[in-house]
Amino acid sequence: MRQTLVKDSPEAVSSPATRWRRAWTVGPRSSADGFVTAIACAPGADLMAVGDRGGCLRLYRRSGELLASRHTDRTADLMEMAFGHHAGRLYLASIDRGNVLRLWDAVDGSPLSSVTLTGRRGSHLGLFSIGGRLVASLTGDPWRGVLIDLVSGRKTAKDEFGEHPTVYLNGRPVTVTADRAGDLQVTAAPSVATPTVAAPSVDTPGVAIPGVAAPGVAAPGVVEGAPGRPVVCFHSGDRLLAGVIQTHEVTIWDIAEHRIVDVLSARSPVSDLAATTDGDLFVLAGGEASFLEHRPPPDQGAALDRGPD
């Protein structure tokens, strides 16, 4: 199955077997919004953040309702964003192209504090409450990791801080990554590895999907130090899924069953992906953020094996 995210695609809005249907889009085609450069979904299912190249932050509900729009005196692109809870409140952290890490109030979008970083910017941003402090984490090659206290600005190196989050599969902690070809790699935390997962696509028989090994062909393992592809893990009901960004596509894997259940396509390269706890997807491609509402078919087991409509 292949779903296209472009606006003029009937598959994106009317296919009865589609598990994700686009509900709304934010981007340069709207006179009120600029070129989108960063997206994030809050813990829960009803709050999304959009950042643009003018440094503007916007908060949206799942319905597409705009809750807040905030500017600062900076106009640098917002490149990474992450939500986090601390002391009973929800916050948002962002980092812009000028290496400024900023903390926002996630209720009304007010900018609260900022820290100017030196050195290379990390490629993965997280926001956590640790020991009574609100702390941002940055990880990514060549950094192993750094923690930044968003009140004092104090930075602490964390060599053991991995760039891939831990998720739970059948009650066991694992990390989920993808190699350069897009093949999924599931690794038991902290050190026991399992073979690379490679599965046939559920798309049209005979049509190859880039990055997916053919049936019966062993996929190569992840090469040490080789750049991988971004992976976002999320739940759809009781299933743990993984979205893997592959240039103009997002491949959706069922992690437990080691197979692809959907392929979402876009005309522009996909640069970011986020997910809600209800399995909705937020996809950033070509300066547009598209919210895809998760609407599983009545007979989900049959739909997972269904070919093109």
Side-chain angles (χ1 to χ4, degrees), residues 88-159:
R89 295 181 62 186
L90 184 63
Y91 295 90
L92 176 76
S94 69
I95 188 167
D96 65 28
R97 193 175 293 278
N99 244 16
V100 171
L101 177 67
R102 187 176 297 277
L103 181 67
W104 311 76
D105 187 313
V107 175
D108 61 10
S110 301
L112 301 176
S113 63
S114 62
V115 177
T116 300
L117 305 178
T118 57
R120 294 194 60 176
R121 177 177 62 84
S123 59
H124 300 271
L125 175 64
L127 184 61
F128 307 97
S129 183
I130 301 177
R133 297 179 301 157
L134 188 58
V135 174
S137 69
L138 280 171
T139 58
D141 217 10
W143 290 3
R144 292 299 302 276
V146 62
L147 301 180
I148 304 111
D149 188 315
L150 288 169
V151 175
S152 67
R154 179 182 177 185
K155 305 175 185 67
T156 305
K158 294 287 288 183
D159 288 343

Side-chain angles (χ1 to χ4, degrees), residues 102-278:
R102 187 176 297 277
L103 181 67
W104 311 76
D105 187 313
V107 175
D108 61 10
S110 301
L112 301 176
S113 63
S114 62
V115 177
T116 300
L117 305 178
T118 57
R120 294 194 60 176
R121 177 177 62 84
S123 59
H124 300 271
L125 175 64
L127 184 61
F128 307 97
S129 183
I130 301 177
R133 297 179 301 157
L134 188 58
V135 174
S137 69
L138 280 171
T139 58
D141 217 10
W143 290 3
R144 292 299 302 276
V146 62
L147 301 180
I148 304 111
D149 188 315
L150 288 169
V151 175
S152 67
R154 179 182 177 185
K155 305 175 185 67
T156 305
K158 294 287 288 183
D159 288 343
E160 71 274 21
F161 215 63
E163 65 177 286
H164 304 291
T166 299
V167 295
Y168 286 85
L169 178 63
N170 298 326
R172 299 189 309 167
V174 297
T175 58
V176 181
T177 60
D179 64 14
R180 287 177 295 178
D183 294 326
L184 214 62
Q185 179 89 3
V186 181
T187 305
S191 59
V192 180
T194 61
T196 297
V197 175
S201 169
V202 297
D203 208 328
T204 308
V207 177
I209 301 299
V212 181
V217 177
V222 175
V223 179
E224 182 69 25
R229 294 182 181 272
V231 177
V232 173
C233 295
F234 60 98
H235 282 87
S236 172
D238 61 352
R239 310 302 296 174
L240 180 61
L241 305 181
V244 180
I245 297 176
Q246 296 181 272
T247 314
H248 288 78
E249 296 177 340
V250 176
T251 303
I252 308 297
W253 293 75
D254 184 308
I255 298 176
E257 296 187 0
H258 297 177
R259 63 167 177 162
I260 293 171
V261 297
D262 216 334
V263 178
L264 315 179
S265 301
R267 286 183 174 175
S268 301
V270 178
S271 54
D272 204 358
L273 175 69
T276 72
T277 53
D278 279 356

Side-chain angles (χ1 to χ4, degrees), residues 273-294:
L273 175 69
T276 72
T277 53
D278 279 356
D280 303 315
L281 297 178
F282 212 16
V283 181
L284 177 58
E288 286 191 341
S290 296
F291 181 77
L292 277 63
E293 181 183 12
H294 183 231

